[in-house]
Every structure is written in structure tokens, then in C-alpha cells.
Amino acid sequence: MASCLVFGCCIILTCLFMVVSFASAQSTRAFFVFGDSLVDSGNNDFLATTARADNPPYGIDFPTHKPTGRFSNGLNIPDLISEQLGLEPTLPYLSPLLVGEKLLVGANFASAGIGILNDTGFQFLHIIHIYKQLKLFQHYQQRLSAHIGAEGARILVNRALVLITLGGNDFVNNYYLVPYSARSRQFSLPDYVRYLMSEYRPILRRLYDLGARRVLVTGTGPMGCVPAELAMRSINGDCDAELQRAASLYNPQLAEMTNGLNKEIGADVFVAANSYQMHMDFVSNPQAFGFVTSKIACCGQGPYNGIGLCTPLSNLCPNRDLYAFWDPFHPSEKASRIIVQQILTGSNQYMHPMNLSTIMALDSIV
């Protein structure tokens, strides 16, 4: 009889321990990241692809001062969101370190070079296209269920924050990749943007069907103003008008599409981040944000340091905090901090229907 009582107590204590462990894991929310090189934290390091940031001076200002696969001199936008929310940074899904308790933190599925369309980024060989990222998200949930149970996994995913960044590559590495590209011959620019929206909508809907309930959706930045496009297209240093036109068509339609999805679902699941305006603030007036320039990349070669990739042989600025762009396409860590601050506290001009601080406050009282 005594042994039964002891055995029963052990079962109760074990159950209580599991409940407490899971509750403590839920005290901070998980974070999932999908998208392209702006948010890739190293997945492409594990792939046979040319779209990679695994050589110096990438990572020169990262805590380890080594390249991590992030297209940044240091931390990238997902890292900085995690930092602001007091969360651990998410690991790349392909990292062998993403096991056990690390699964509770979330995962980064992003892959440099991808777009909304499957033919975007074909020149980079093996990259994780967006529907493959969603498939990996399903695999992640299976692994998570094995770790904390199906109901625990469902709750963790429902409570999680999600970031998705897509669209830029569908223009610069597809529609405008070469003169008279296949897509530009198939579609006028306004029709192409509408086509992208028709393809992006089911991607976001699929994220919702997989359990995402708070999704930050970023638009494209001012694509015509990045050093790579200035080097290739600009005569006098002005932003390229055609790529700026593309961004001006794409971003309002993206906000309209996410708003329509929210109405269909009946909840504010998708939050549109106006990353175009966030970038344009410091692109149009870099000195106001402490930058010496927004035209020249810190790392690169050729006009505006905008040609090719950032390599150990590239020109390298001594102070990355003085440059809005780290390499020909990607913001510096300091510029990313400005963007994340607007995601966190920005007005309706930047975040619609609410900013991330409001999301966190609302979700803390549910």
C-alpha cells in the first residue's frame, strides 16, 4: 500500500513538474521568421548556394566578430526584435543546435535569395523557397509536439510572434534582373505587382492555417536607392525611378491585401510594416540619424561600393555606424536598429493596424 502511495506521489510530482516547466517556457513567447536575406540568420550556410554571407567581413561587429550567415555587419532585424522583447535570438532551422529546449525559442526559416515566386532566385541554386519554408515549419511543429505534446505545441505556435519579409527579390532578382526579363515580357509592372499579391495572399493564409496568429509583414524598402542599384542604374546618384515606382505600387497593395485578410479572418492577425518609409527616413536625410551617407555601402567595390558582394578584398569602412548600408543591398546594424524601433513604437504611418508594443500589451492581458 505504501509503495502505491509513493508511486502515486511520484506520478503527481512528475505531472506538476511538466506543467511548471511548460508554463515557464510559455512566460516568454516563441518567435518564427520567414523570408529572404534581410532576415536570414544563417540557413544558407548549410546549403549549396551562392547566396551566402559566410566570409569576413560579414559579422565584423557581431559579438563573436565572425561571419554567421547574416547579411549584416552584426545583428539583423530578427535579432534586434528578439533583443527588444527580451527573447533569445532564434536559431536557423537547419542548425544542428536547434534541438530540445531550443525549440521553445522558435526558429528562423529564412533563406537569402528567395521571393514570393518560385522562379525568383533560380540563379542562386539551392535556396529554401517560401513554400519549402512553410513545409519546414510543419516539420518543426512535429518535432515540437514530440518534445512538449501536441496541445503544448499548438499553444506555443498560436502565442508566437511571426515575421515574414518577402518581395524585394521578386523585383531586383527577377523582373529587373536583366533587360527584357521573362517576367517583364509577360507582365507590365502594375500587372506584375497584382500577380505578386495574388501569389502572396495564399502564402499568408497558409501561415494562418499553420497556427500563426500575430504576423508582422514587411514591405519592400526603397529598392531604387540601394547602393547596388545606384551603381548599375544611377547617373547622378539619384534613386532609380523605375524601381522606386515598383516599390510605390507594391507596398500600398501589400497593406491593402493584409487588411483584407484580417477582415476575412475577423482578427488583426497580419500587421503591415511600412519598411519603405522606415528606410526612406534615413535614406533621404542620413545626417539626421547620424549617418555620413546613405548612398555608399560600407563594404563593396565600384561606384557607391555597390558592385558585387562584400568580400575580404572589398573596400571596408572603419566605422559601420556611420553608414546606412552595410553592403550593396542590406542595411547596417545601426540602420536595422532604427527600423526595429519603428516596428516597436511607430505610428500608423509605419505600422498598421498597430505597432509591436501594442501587440505585446494586448497579448499580455489575454
Side-chain angles (χ1 to χ4, degrees):
M1 183 69 177
S3 61
C4 290
L5 288 171
V6 171
F7 182 67
C9 288
C10 288
I11 291 174
I12 292 166
L13 287 171
T14 301
C15 291
L16 282 171
F17 176 76
M18 289 174 69
V19 168
V20 170
S21 295
F22 182 63
S24 64
Q26 292 301 291
S27 62
T28 57
R29 70 198 306 170
F31 184 27
F32 301 108
V33 181
F34 302 85
D36 56 27
S37 60
L38 288 165
V39 293
D40 184 353
S41 294
N43 279 309
N44 278 25
D45 280 4
F46 300 94
L47 302 171
T49 178
T50 56
R52 54 200 308 127
D54 59 346
N55 59 264
Y58 283 103
I60 189 171
D61 299 310
F62 196 76
T64 60
H65 306 294
K66 293 178 180 178
T68 62
R70 292 165 172 82
F71 287 76
S72 172
N73 56 300
L75 303 177
N76 65 8
I77 287 170
D79 296 322
L80 296 169
I81 290 174
S82 294
E83 179 182 275
Q84 286 293 317
L85 299 184
L87 307 176
E88 277 188 56
T90 52
L91 288 167
Y93 184 71
L94 298 184
S95 169
L97 300 177
L98 187 67
V99 292
E101 295 297 296
K102 292 293 182 184
L103 291 168
L104 304 179
V105 176
N108 186 315
F109 301 90
S111 177
I114 73 142
I116 295 165
L117 306 179
N118 266 338
D119 59 315
T120 293
F122 71 91
Q123 67 271 37
F124 300 123
L125 304 176
H126 301 287
I127 51 180
I128 312 171
H129 292 286
I130 188 60
Y131 278 103
K132 175 67 172 175
Q133 290 184 26
L134 296 177
K135 181 66 72 175
L136 293 177
F137 187 34
Q138 286 181 276
H139 292 166
Y140 161 87
Q141 292 189 38
Q142 291 164 7
R143 294 171 60 192
L144 185 66
S145 293
H147 189 61
I148 60 172
E151 181 62 9
R154 185 191 65 77
I155 293 169
L156 183 142
V157 170
N158 285 169
R159 291 187 71 255
L161 179 68
V162 178
L163 172 68
I164 184 166
T165 296
L166 289 173
N169 285 325
D170 294 289
F171 294 102
V172 300
N173 284 316
N174 191 327
Y175 194 83
Y176 294 110
L177 179 62
V178 293
Y180 310 109
S181 68
R183 288 297 189 184
S184 67
R185 282 184 276 115
Q186 182 184 10
F187 295 105
S188 68
L189 180 60
D191 286 344
Y192 184 63
V193 172
R194 282 190 284 271
Y195 175 59
L196 290 179
M197 288 303 120
S198 72
E199 294 292 307
Y200 202 172
R201 197 178 194 279
I203 291 167
L204 294 180
R205 182 70 206 204
R206 180 67 180 141
L207 254 183
Y208 176 78
D209 292 342
L210 289 172
R213 295 295 179 266
R214 289 295 193 191
V215 185
L216 303 175
V217 185
T218 68
T220 70
M223 297 178 287
C225 304
V226 301
E229 300 303 335
L230 295 182
M232 290 187 288
R233 297 169 177 271
S234 179
I235 298 169
N236 55 8
D238 291 340
C239 300
D240 178 70
E242 181 65 9
L243 275 163
Q244 290 297 87
R245 178 172 167 247
S248 72
L249 290 171
Y250 177 85
N251 288 301
Q253 289 187 46
L254 180 63
E256 187 180 328
M257 184 263 282
T258 55
N259 191 44
L261 267 174
N262 285 339
K263 286 181 178 176
E264 179 184 298
I265 292 165
D268 289 329
V269 172
F270 298 100
V271 175
N274 186 349
S275 46
Y276 178 86
Q277 190 56 54
M278 294 173 190
H279 279 83
M280 278 308 294
D281 287 349
F282 57 75
V283 164
S284 58
N285 190 3
Q287 287 74 28
F289 294 86
F291 299 120
V292 296
T293 180
S294 63
K295 295 184 183 295
I296 303 168
C298 170
C299 182
Q301 45 276 321
Y304 308 102
N305 277 346
I307 301 296
L309 297 172
C310 174
T311 74
L313 300 177
S314 298
N315 303 317
L316 179 65
C317 68
N319 185 348
R320 276 69 65 184
D321 285 348
L322 298 181
Y323 286 71
F325 285 95
W326 155 246
D327 68 9
F329 285 104
H330 304 95
S332 62
E333 180 184 312
K334 182 179 174 183
S336 293
R337 285 187 180 277
I338 295 167
I339 292 164
V340 168
Q341 194 56 50
Q342 291 290 16
I343 290 172
L344 201 68
T345 62
S347 67
N348 261 24
Q349 178 189 4
Y350 298 95
M351 299 292 293
H352 183 79
M354 69 189 100
N355 60 36
L356 182 52
S357 292
T358 303
I359 290 172
M360 300 303 289
L362 284 173
D363 291 352
S364 69
I365 59 176
V366 173

